[in-house]
Amino acid sequence: MSSGAVRGADEALFRPIRGGNAFEETVERLLSTLRLGVVAPGGRLPPGRELAARLGVSRATLREALATLQTAGYLESRRGRYGGTFVVATPSPGSGLAPGGRSAAEIDDVLAFRQVLEAGAAEAAAARSLTRADREHLTARLAECTGTGQADYRRLDSRLHLAIAEVAGSPSLTTAVVDVRSRVNELLDAIPLLAPNIEHSDRQHAAIVTAILAGDPPGARRTMAEHLAGTAALLRGFLT
């Protein structure tokens, strides 16, 4: 690859992140940078201040993303005059982590199906005149999931998402969401649980439920779509 091509790829990968999932998309962008060899093993990433500015994220968000990839074994931090953040390993395509050896196309298929179903479920739930039991069911599932420990998070997160489908009032929709959530959970079980992502998800869950309870279908669809996009970014980053 010529130096010009490297610079072009560098600019493309370190362009500003857009959307409401800064942490998740930063992790995805950094994994893509390593996978594509823009910064090879032994190479140093741009300084934190510069990298945060180029990605358009806060220094705190960048630090969380870098710490995540250090824990995963892809990066290491070195101190001193010649210190910085260095690449230790490059994730290979698929990383061997995707269950059942799923291809990138198969993962994209699951995520696209989920996006359509669950954003639609949130919109449909917000459009209904919810009963008192529906409202109590949603708020109870939200309370269970919010702030829970990592050991129970995936189970309670799934239960909240299923509750949203349940109060939409369509048994067929609930069945479809159960199916797609099972497929998504197989993928989620292959990547690490990340504390910054859980905290962000808690805030997004609250916004989704608030929109549903307020009878705001466009808001419910929008906030759910943004939430799902964050999860998709992490799954694509780690698994494809």
Side-chain angles (χ1 to χ4, degrees):
M1 181 180 291
S2 70
S3 60
V6 171
R7 285 196 297 271
D10 179 278
E11 290 300 321
L13 285 163
F14 292 139
R15 68 191 185 279
I17 285 170
R18 306 185 187 282
N21 298 295
F23 167 76
E24 293 84 355
E25 291 185 32
T26 299
V27 170
E28 180 188 26
R29 190 74 61 78
L30 291 173
L31 282 167
S32 294
T33 298
L34 305 186
R35 187 174 291 115
L36 293 173
V38 173
V39 183
R44 180 169 57 184
L45 292 177
R49 186 183 302 275
E50 175 190 340
L51 188 52
R54 291 172 66 181
L55 291 173
V57 299
S58 69
R59 294 288 300 280
T61 294
L62 178 64
R63 282 195 296 270
E64 289 177 334
L66 292 175
T68 293
L69 296 185
Q70 288 174 26
T71 300
Y74 296 126
L75 301 174
E76 69 175 5
S77 179
R78 301 177 191 168
R79 297 185 178 276
R81 182 177 178 184
Y82 300 105
T85 302
F86 290 81
V87 178
V88 176
T90 300
S92 59
S95 296
L97 293 175
R102 284 196 176 98
S103 67
E106 290 171 319
I107 292 171
D108 283 341
D109 174 63
V110 173
L111 297 178
F113 187 39
R114 183 194 190 198
Q115 183 85 10
V116 171
L117 279 179
E118 293 207 45
E123 182 179 34
R128 287 189 72 220
S129 295
L130 300 180
T131 66
R132 179 177 178 178
D134 288 335
R135 291 174 174 273
E136 290 177 348
H137 183 44
L138 269 184
T139 54
R141 300 294 80 75
L142 176 63
E144 286 177 349
C145 185
T146 303
T148 192
Q150 291 193 0
D152 292 320
Y153 185 78
R154 289 251 164 87
R155 176 176 62 84
L156 297 176
D157 173 51
S158 295
R159 194 67 194 89
L160 173 59
H161 281 257
L162 295 178
I164 291 169
E166 287 164 350
V167 302
S170 168
S172 295
L173 175 60
T174 300
T175 299
V177 171
V178 166
D179 176 64
V180 77
R181 183 70 200 203
S182 296
R183 295 164 66 189
V184 168
N185 279 0
E186 290 181 12
L187 301 177
L188 288 171
D189 287 343
I191 70 172
L193 270 170
L194 308 176
N197 173 245
I198 292 175
E199 293 168 5
H200 188 205
S201 291
D202 281 349
R203 294 193 297 273
Q204 291 178 323
H205 286 157
I208 293 163
V209 171
T210 296
I212 292 171
L213 295 178
D216 177 10
R221 170 178 280 277
R222 182 178 62 254
T223 51
M224 178 62 87
E226 184 174 282
H227 173 54
L228 300 180
T231 302
L234 288 180
L235 288 170
R236 290 189 177 103
F238 277 102
L239 299 181
T240 64

